[in-house]
């Protein structure tokens, strides 16, 4: 259990670091969308945001691979499968957001962007609920 907890904790830290790193880029883009100011972003700023989104997707895809490669203690197998599925879905939603940015035309597919944002919120909340459940069960 201890080895599993340490590995899972490391992956959670990676997820949080990536999320914290990309947050200012998301906030800048979100503000531009809400104020109808995408055109006010320079091409360089837009490309930088898109690049950061793609880099975050790559980090998350790496974590998906590591979560899928982990062995969970018998009593956590079901919860671990849920974690794998939820984080995979979250990563797909994150990719949808990254893919909604067209750097050639400096446009955002608002339908995909908005759906991705909703999906990310749902999947991440459920993911962390499962993580808390595992860590709570592990201390009992």
């Amino acid at each position: 259990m201890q080895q599993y907890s340490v590995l899972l904790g490391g992956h959670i830290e990676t997820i949080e670091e990536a999320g914290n790193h990309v947050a200012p880029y998301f906030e800048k883009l979100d503000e531009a969308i809400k104020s109808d100011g995408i055109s006010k972003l320079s091409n360089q700023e837009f490309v930088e945001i898109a690049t950061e989104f793609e880099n975050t997707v790559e980090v998350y895809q790496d974590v998906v691979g590591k979560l899928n490669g982990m062995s969970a203690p018998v009593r956590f197998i079901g919860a671990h499968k849920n974690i794998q599925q939820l984080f995979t879905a979250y990563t797909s939603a994150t990719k949808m957001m990254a893919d909604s940015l067209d750097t050639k035309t400096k446009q955002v597919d608002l339908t995909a962007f908005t759906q991705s944002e909703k999906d990310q919120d749902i999947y991440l909340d459920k993911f962390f609920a499962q993580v808390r459940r595992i860590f709570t069960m592990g201390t009992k």
Side-chain angles (χ1 to χ4, degrees), residues 26-116:
F26 170 80
E27 289 165 11
K28 185 176 198 175
L29 179 63
D30 193 47
E31 180 60 36
I33 290 169
K34 288 177 180 170
S35 67
D36 204 22
I38 295 287
S39 62
K40 293 176 185 150
L41 292 173
S42 72
N43 288 343
Q44 181 181 344
E45 287 174 303
F46 194 81
V47 167
E48 183 180 22
I49 290 167
T51 301
E52 290 299 330
F53 280 25
E54 286 295 333
N55 291 344
T56 300
V57 169
E58 288 176 18
V59 169
Y60 290 165
Q61 288 172 335
D62 185 56
V63 171
V64 165
K66 289 176 179 174
L67 288 172
N68 289 341
M70 285 178 66
S71 321
V74 172
R75 68 187 243 201
F76 298 114
I77 290 175
H80 184 73
K81 287 283 182 208
N82 285 338
I83 282 175
Q84 290 169 320
Q85 292 167 350
L86 289 165
F87 196 70
T88 298
Y90 174 75
T91 300
S92 295
T94 303
K95 182 161 178 27
M96 181 193 302
M97 183 175 281
D99 291 347
S100 75
L101 307 183
D102 185 340
T103 55
K104 290 180 180 72
T105 62
K106 202 169 93 174
Q107 292 184 344
V108 179
D109 177 343
L110 292 178
T111 303
F113 185 90
T114 303
Q115 185 62 53
S116 167

